[in-house]
Amino acid sequence: MNRTDYLAFCRGIPGTVVDQPFQDDFVSTIARHVDTGKWFAAILRHDGRDFVNLKCDPVEADFLRGAYAGITPAYHMNKTHWITVYFDSDVPDELLRSLTMSSLRLTGARGRRLTQR
């Protein structure tokens, strides 16, 4: 999956919005909950590589970082609760979609149930 396909995926998730909130930064894109404004995905570029930061259970994050070269501690975010997933890597598209939906749930309002697509 590339950046464009990933952004299209995020735009298709009900109850979310994708925007570029940083003044004079036309690359960084944030996917967030419409009702709370909380981020669930930060789509960024660093050193010429596109990636997404996603919230993740710390135990799962540790496992994933060991299993995939394309998953690392989060760039510029809390390294315990967030991971970076590189688009040009060994991470399967289905896993990236699943991690995104998990991040959406983890950042959602307490007690609110989100249906998975």
Side-chain angles (χ1 to χ4, degrees), residues 68-116:
Y68 296 95
I71 298 179
T72 63
Y75 172 75
H76 204 59
M77 294 179 85
N78 180 295
K79 312 248 184 276
T80 301
H81 296 280
W82 290 80
I83 57 174
T84 287
V85 181
Y86 287 93
F87 294 122
D88 61 347
S89 71
D90 59 340
V91 179
D93 291 352
E94 188 54 41
L95 177 57
L96 178 54
R97 286 189 286 269
S98 176
L99 290 170
T100 300
M101 297 308 291
S102 178
S103 182
L104 182 71
R105 284 188 297 280
L106 288 169
T107 57
R110 287 194 172 171
R112 187 174 84 198
R113 303 194 94 177
L114 297 172
T115 57
Q116 201 170 38

Side-chain angles (χ1 to χ4, degrees), residues 26-102:
F26 303 106
V27 176
S28 301
T29 306
I30 304 301
R32 63 177 82 232
H33 297 265
V34 169
D35 56 351
T36 64
K38 283 185 172 183
W39 300 9
F40 67 89
I43 302 90
L44 308 168
R45 181 177 296 147
H46 181 70
D47 289 339
R49 290 183 75 192
D50 290 326
F51 60 89
V52 59
N53 284 343
L54 298 168
K55 190 156 191 178
C56 189
D57 172 79
V59 173
E60 183 179 13
D62 190 48
F63 169 78
L64 291 167
R65 287 189 294 260
Y68 296 95
I71 298 179
T72 63
Y75 172 75
H76 204 59
M77 294 179 85
N78 180 295
K79 312 248 184 276
T80 301
H81 296 280
W82 290 80
I83 57 174
T84 287
V85 181
Y86 287 93
F87 294 122
D88 61 347
S89 71
D90 59 340
V91 179
D93 291 352
E94 188 54 41
L95 177 57
L96 178 54
R97 286 189 286 269
S98 176
L99 290 170
T100 300
M101 297 308 291
S102 178

